[in-house]
Amino acid sequence: MIIQFNTRAPVYIQVVDYFKKKMALGELQAGEEMPSRRELATELKINPNTVQKAFKEMEEQQLITTERNRPSRVTTDEHVLKRIRTELVDEAVAVFVESIQELDVTMDELVDKIKRQYGEGNINDRSTGS
Amino acid sequence: MIEVLGVKKRYRKKQVIEEVSFTAQKGEITCLIGLNGTGKSTILKGIMGLTPFDQGTVLVDGKPIDLNRVAFVPDHSTFPIHFTIEQCEAFMRDFYPKFDPKLFARLVDEFKLFPEDKLNELSKGTLAKVNLALGIAQDPDYLLLDEPFSGIDVFSKEQIVELFSSDIMEDRGVLITTHEIEDIEYLVDKAVMLNRGRIVREFDVEDVRFIHGKSIVDVMREEYGA
């Protein structure tokens, strides 16, 4: 597991985002056991206190549940998992829209380009997948 | 908590430490940052009482320092260069009643050291690992490290960084000096910046990222100029 950290953003939030993405993509399934905090700190070469803070944040956002003296688990709440996906998509679109607005592209041109490039992407996905 | 309160130090005519106060918490990694020659090592040696401060107080959990609870890892070996790692260990066992041979064996194993190797046969990175192992095996509550990453190879750095995020360091307070923050940007809880013998900034690293969107290097650039 490798996260390319950004030095200007809180590391604990970057860790939370990393796990959100894994949950949204189903790489971490509902109810699945999370890695131990200690393992994670060593693997990512970050401060154990930062990992602790990331887990606390994930608990507060109800992404994971932790019972006393047990490993944390991904939530089984479908609503939460759906919400994560929506959140990630919204965030990515917001970043995209902000950068494209600077270029003053018309909506028609944009939609056309997206359709073409996105379509190509899908074809490539299929061809590598089979 | 280590409390450094209003310490001052003069070498001959030069006031090396004008006046310095800061704290380092247990269970956290505090980094004392400063360009070369700003008095970082002087502060560590002063805390340990190796070269006492002229003025000011150092308290460890509210009391004067107890050398069984605080270990110092210098940036050079303090043993004769023809010593083997084993001989260093034997010396430390005699000298420090709390020295933990099991912990030392584990560190030797994790760092892939060979106890029969002589110090003068080791690379700078390996020597740094030996020093670190000898310091940690004292099983201290607080560990003071002087420039542990200076001039060593990238893989030794990685091994040392991994150690700091492992259970071996759990609950210990670490005070580390460096002028190359990049190596430990993600390890540090708190940064204390020193300039011309004074503390110019003391901050929680994640807070500064969160509130100001700044990295430690950004803050260093502000303080020390480009």
Side-chain angles (χ1 to χ4, degrees):
Chain A
M1 171 189 343
I2 289 173
I3 306 181
Q4 273 303 339
F5 286 114
N6 167 0
T7 58
R8 293 190 169 99
V11 176
Y12 82 96
I13 291 182
Q14 298 181 63
V15 173
V16 172
D17 286 347
Y18 170 81
F19 280 106
K20 276 187 182 168
K21 205 166 177 182
K22 288 200 106 174
M23 290 172 197
L25 290 171
E27 287 171 22
L28 266 175
Q29 300 265 324
E32 197 175 327
E33 212 172 87
M34 294 283 284
S36 89
R37 293 158 204 228
R38 181 56 67 184
E39 275 167 25
L40 201 60
T42 311
E43 204 169 333
L44 299 174
K45 299 188 179 65
I46 61 175
N47 190 310
N49 296 334
T50 307
V51 175
Q52 179 61 31
K53 206 168 166 187
F55 272 63
K56 199 167 159 248
E57 179 70 24
M58 287 191 276
E59 278 163 7
E60 274 167 18
Q61 292 190 24
Q62 296 169 330
L63 309 176
I64 59 169
T65 53
T66 312
E67 281 170 48
R68 196 180 278 269
N69 298 327
R70 308 269 302 176
S72 301
R73 287 180 181 280
V74 178
T75 181
T76 47
D77 187 333
E78 288 295 328
H79 293 291
V80 173
L81 292 169
K82 269 200 191 120
R83 189 193 77 206
I84 298 171
R85 199 189 121 76
T86 313
E87 235 179 75
L88 288 176
V89 173
D90 286 351
E91 275 171 29
V93 171
V95 170
F96 168 70
V97 168
E98 198 185 331
S99 69
I100 209 78
Q101 268 173 343
E102 286 174 12
L103 299 176
D104 203 17
V105 184
T106 66
M107 182 65 93
D108 284 345
E109 189 188 349
L110 184 58
V111 170
D112 185 51
K113 282 208 188 296
I114 290 175
K115 272 188 185 153
R116 227 181 310 148
Q117 292 207 10
Y118 208 75
E120 280 168 15
N122 277 344
I123 291 161
N124 287 340
D125 282 352
R126 259 180 242 132
S127 61
T128 50
S130 58
Chain B
M1 174 172 61
I2 296 181
E3 291 170 275
V4 177
L5 302 163
V7 300
K8 298 180 182 182
K9 178 74 186 175
R10 172 188 287 272
Y11 280 128
R12 301 192 182 203
K13 283 188 172 174
K14 190 168 161 40
Q15 191 73 36
V16 188
I17 307 296
E18 292 280 350
E19 175 158 16
V20 161
S21 301
F22 67 94
T23 59
Q25 301 286 338
K26 198 154 183 265
E28 287 192 1
I29 300 175
T30 303
C31 188
L32 192 57
I33 301 169
L35 305 178
N36 283 327
T38 44
K40 302 185 297 286
S41 299
T42 306
I43 290 175
L44 292 195
K45 286 176 194 151
I47 293 173
M48 294 303 288
L50 296 169
T51 47
F53 296 118
D54 302 329
Q55 284 183 53
T57 317
V58 175
L59 294 176
V60 178
D61 296 331
K63 290 180 226 141
I65 190 164
D66 170 358
L67 294 181
N68 284 315
R69 297 186 52 218
V70 184
F72 177 53
V73 180
D75 64 349
H76 57 276
S77 178
T78 50
F79 288 99
I81 53 165
H82 62 269
F83 261 41
T84 63
I85 297 175
E86 274 168 328
Q87 286 173 316
C88 297
E89 188 203 354
F91 180 90
M92 295 296 278
R93 284 168 82 157
D94 285 343
F95 207 78
Y96 291 96
K98 266 182 75 192
F99 192 89
D100 181 347
K102 267 192 204 150
L103 184 52
F104 187 74
R106 187 178 158 195
L107 290 160
V108 163
D109 190 49
E110 296 211 357
F111 282 153
K112 300 184 176 65
L113 303 172
F114 300 99
E116 62 281 8
D117 280 355
K118 287 184 174 179
L119 299 183
N120 59 7
E121 298 164 346
L122 303 177
S123 73
K124 205 166 175 217
T126 309
L127 200 55
K129 286 183 265 185
V130 172
N131 282 339
L132 191 57
L134 290 169
I136 295 172
Q138 294 169 43
D139 196 20
D141 294 336
Y142 295 94
L143 192 63
L144 274 46
L145 301 129
D146 197 9
E147 297 274 358
F149 299 101
S150 185
I152 68 172
D153 63 281
V154 62
F155 301 112
S156 297
K157 275 182 193 171
E158 272 187 7
Q159 276 183 304
I160 294 175
V161 167
E162 261 173 45
L163 179 79
F164 279 107
S165 47
S166 77
D167 64 305
I168 291 180
M169 299 306 283
E170 199 165 333
D171 292 331
R172 301 186 207 276
V174 177
L175 178 59
I176 192 166
T177 67
T178 188
H179 62 281
E180 300 162 282
I181 192 68
E182 289 84 350
D183 301 320
I184 51 167
E185 183 103 41
Y186 303 117
L187 267 190
V188 174
D189 289 286
K190 179 177 166 183
V192 178
M193 286 186 187
L194 196 65
N195 198 4
R196 296 169 193 266
R198 289 181 191 277
I199 303 298
V200 287
R201 293 287 267 272
E202 185 173 357
F203 60 92
D204 179 302
V205 174
E206 285 279 86
D207 280 355
V208 163
R209 292 192 189 111
F210 192 83
I211 300 165
H212 304 291
K214 283 179 189 165
S215 68
I216 305 179
V217 175
D218 291 335
V219 180
M220 283 178 75
R221 201 171 287 121
E222 288 171 10
E223 286 301 333
Y224 304 122

